[in-house]
Amino acid sequence: MATSPIEERLQDRTELKSRERLYRSWDKALRRLDEDPDGAVTAARSFLESVCKHALDALGVPYGPNLDLMQQFRLVAGELKLTATGETGRIERQFYSGTNQIVQSLAELRNQTGDAHGKGHQGVKASLAQAELAVNLSGATGIFLLRKLDSHLAATRRLNSAGNAVLRFDKATVWRLVDHAQNSPDHLKSFRQRKPKPAIWLVADAGIYLMSNGKPALLHTGVLAEEDKVAGELRLVAHADGCGPLDDIDDWMPLQEAMSGGDDFVESLRLKDIRVALDASDRQIVIVSSDSHYRIYSDLEFDELANEASLDL
């Protein structure tokens, strides 16, 4: 059973084989704290090296045996885009700068006080306070990198080889939306339409989801909204897998970036196309979308075409 927040997060973030390796490294740092501060500093750095190597392995990035901690960290940071550019990357750059300083300081502290190298009679010993700080910072930094790795892998698994977003939606919920749009007496008009007509909208704002443009709105409770109270109610929507308001934004924002450069958007989808996919699906429909085109599949068709690598838009 996990005995610290770091261990709990390691259990959440890594598969068994890697988890055991990281556990051993982390446990060594903890066990050395009280009796061997110098050894704890060395173990803290080793833990961070293990996290970096785990990330590089998961990303399929080759690295040589002679890479030091800073070189490993910069490789990981580059792959995880911690140095992102543009206004949306400002906070990421701040995190990267701070994390970079932590890693650099851990490396320097280990070189000065760690027990990995022999010391002369004037060698500097780490205090307990320094060792505790080093261990806690390495743990927090390691968990930050593992969280970013999770988000990166979650997003890239939903981007195909052409960089298009692959969105999966629950069949039953989409059917309810289609039925509502088809049978509503009035409809919302998208900015491209002169005259409103029944449609399903693909929307990106607080997540990525499908909604009916029918009026009155269908609420998440299954009842129709009163016109003057729609703004304060939650509509029934079908969120794409992993792209809901409770999902980590880092997990789905790369999909929105692939479709719109990261901007919020509304795209009107034809009911006919949605129905064809629903009729042929098992549990989900799949929308593959770029910034200019989209295609709608049943899950069965999509999986068959994906196996044949024939999903270019």
Side-chain angles (χ1 to χ4, degrees):
M1 180 178 293
T3 58
S4 75
I6 298 296
E7 289 174 325
E8 291 173 1
R9 284 163 176 76
L10 284 179
Q11 185 169 0
D12 292 340
R13 302 283 178 247
T14 58
E15 76 281 359
L16 181 60
K17 185 176 180 180
S18 296
R19 185 192 313 161
E20 290 177 346
R21 183 172 64 250
L22 294 174
Y23 268 166
R24 289 195 297 271
S25 181
W26 175 247
D27 185 61
K28 182 184 290 186
L30 291 179
R31 285 188 289 104
R32 288 185 171 187
L33 261 178
D34 290 331
E35 311 235 343
D36 184 11
D38 289 348
V41 171
T42 298
R45 172 177 166 144
S46 295
F47 168 73
L48 212 46
E49 288 177 337
S50 295
V51 170
C52 288
K53 290 177 179 177
H54 165 76
L56 293 172
D57 289 340
L59 294 165
V61 177
Y63 55 92
N66 298 322
L67 249 60
D68 64 23
L69 175 58
M70 283 306 303
Q71 291 170 321
Q72 294 171 21
F73 171 74
R74 285 168 181 156
L75 268 181
V76 173
E79 291 293 324
L80 299 183
K81 296 180 173 56
L82 300 187
T83 56
T85 59
E87 181 59 28
T88 57
R90 181 178 60 84
I91 296 177
E92 292 294 326
R93 293 196 301 276
Q94 292 175 346
F95 270 118
Y96 171 74
S97 177
T99 308
N100 187 72
Q101 288 296 321
I102 290 172
V103 176
Q104 181 68 50
S105 297
L106 283 171
E108 293 176 358
L109 183 63
R110 180 264 191 180
N111 289 337
Q112 290 181 7
T113 67
D115 65 354
H117 305 291
K119 297 181 181 180
H121 67 280
Q122 294 182 333
V124 179
K125 291 183 67 66
S127 67
L128 179 58
Q130 288 176 318
E132 286 181 335
L133 181 62
V135 170
N136 288 323
L137 285 176
S138 71
T141 303
I143 293 304
F144 169 71
L145 292 177
L146 291 172
R147 174 65 263 185
K148 295 299 293 183
L149 174 66
D150 278 357
S151 296
H152 176 84
L153 294 176
T156 53
R157 280 194 294 267
R158 297 199 292 268
L159 291 171
N160 66 14
S161 59
N164 301 319
V166 178
L167 308 170
R168 292 178 175 268
F169 301 90
D170 175 66
K171 176 179 179 177
T173 307
V174 177
W175 262 127
R176 293 179 66 190
L177 297 175
V178 168
D179 183 66
H180 174 258
Q182 187 67 60
N183 295 295
S184 293
D186 197 5
H187 298 85
L188 298 170
K189 182 176 69 172
S190 72
F191 72 94
R192 294 179 183 175
Q193 293 177 320
R194 293 183 178 180
K195 183 179 179 181
K197 57 184 178 181
I200 295 297
W201 286 0
L202 174 62
V203 183
D205 46 39
I208 301 173
Y209 55 90
L210 297 177
M211 62 171 279
S212 164
N213 74 333
K215 296 173 60 179
L218 178 62
L219 303 181
H220 72 288
T221 56
V223 302
L224 297 177
E226 297 178 33
E227 281 300 311
D228 59 344
K229 296 182 179 180
V230 174
E233 300 283 356
L234 293 176
R235 291 176 178 268
L236 176 69
V237 301
H239 280 99
D241 280 359
C243 301
L246 299 182
D247 294 305
D248 195 315
I249 189 172
D250 287 342
D251 290 356
W252 55 262
M253 182 53 72
L255 306 181
Q256 188 167 331
E257 290 171 349
M259 293 187 288
S260 64
D263 295 331
D264 293 352
F265 69 87
V266 175
E267 182 70 36
S268 182
L269 311 180
R270 297 193 308 173
L271 284 187
K272 176 182 177 181
D273 297 335
I274 299 286
R275 283 185 177 277
V276 169
L278 286 169
D279 285 336
S281 68
D282 179 21
R283 297 182 178 181
Q284 296 176 314
I285 66 167
V286 182
I287 298 177
V288 179
S289 177
S290 69
D291 58 354
S292 58
H293 298 85
Y294 68 85
R295 290 188 65 179
I296 305 171
Y297 303 87
S298 72
D299 49 1
L300 300 178
E301 180 188 15
F302 175 82
D303 291 341
E304 182 178 350
L305 292 174
N307 290 334
E308 297 173 0
S310 55
L311 280 171
D312 291 336
L313 290 179

